[in-house]
Amino acid sequence: MMVWIVSFFVLAGAFFGLVAALGVFRMPDLFIRMHAATKAGAFGAALMLLAFAIHFGGLRSWIFSLVIIVFFYLTTPVAAQAIARAAYRRGVAFWEKMGVDRLKESGEIPERSHSKED
């Protein structure tokens, strides 16, 4: 029974890793690609780490897995936010169908420093 549970978590983690990779390939702009990579990638890694903890079963493997999962979920959004903010300030173009620039509307970030042609 344990083999089936571990296999399920490994396959589910691999599936979400594949979804993250496909999102990076298929999504139209940097900001949406980052969303796919961070959400699905972190969830896939968490499922793989759960499989690791279940397979080895010791307290040490559970603690390592949980610490790494918490680290992923604390650092991934912060890193994505920092990368997105830097890209926005550098003038990385939005997808043309995005339609709304909430950061520009809020005035939090003054103006995009570079145009699309830079």
Side-chain angles (χ1 to χ4, degrees), residues 92-113:
V92 173
F94 286 130
W95 182 34
E96 65 267 3
K97 293 183 181 177
M98 182 78 81
V100 177
D101 186 354
R102 299 260 187 231
L103 277 175
K104 187 176 183 180
E105 290 175 1
S106 72
E108 183 179 335
I109 297 177
E111 278 295 318
R112 296 172 74 164
S113 60

Side-chain angles (χ1 to χ4, degrees), residues 19-43 75-88 92 94 98:
V19 168
L22 288 175
V24 169
F25 257 139
R26 298 286 301 169
M27 294 297 150
D29 72 353
L30 174 90
F31 303 100
I32 301 173
R33 286 182 193 140
M34 283 185 7
H35 177 78
T38 55
K39 303 292 187 226
F43 189 62
T75 58
T76 303
V78 173
Q81 173 73 19
I83 292 169
R85 182 173 284 249
Y88 184 83
V92 173
F94 286 130
M98 182 78 81

Side-chain angles (χ1 to χ4, degrees), residues 24-84:
V24 169
F25 257 139
R26 298 286 301 169
M27 294 297 150
D29 72 353
L30 174 90
F31 303 100
I32 301 173
R33 286 182 193 140
M34 283 185 7
H35 177 78
T38 55
K39 303 292 187 226
F43 189 62
L47 290 174
M48 293 279 199
L49 286 165
L50 284 176
F52 164 79
I54 292 169
H55 178 72
F56 290 105
L59 179 64
R60 189 176 191 175
S61 62
W62 277 100
I63 290 172
F64 278 153
S65 295
L66 292 177
V67 166
I68 293 170
I69 289 170
V70 168
F71 179 76
F72 267 134
Y73 278 95
L74 288 178
T75 58
T76 303
V78 173
Q81 173 73 19
I83 292 169

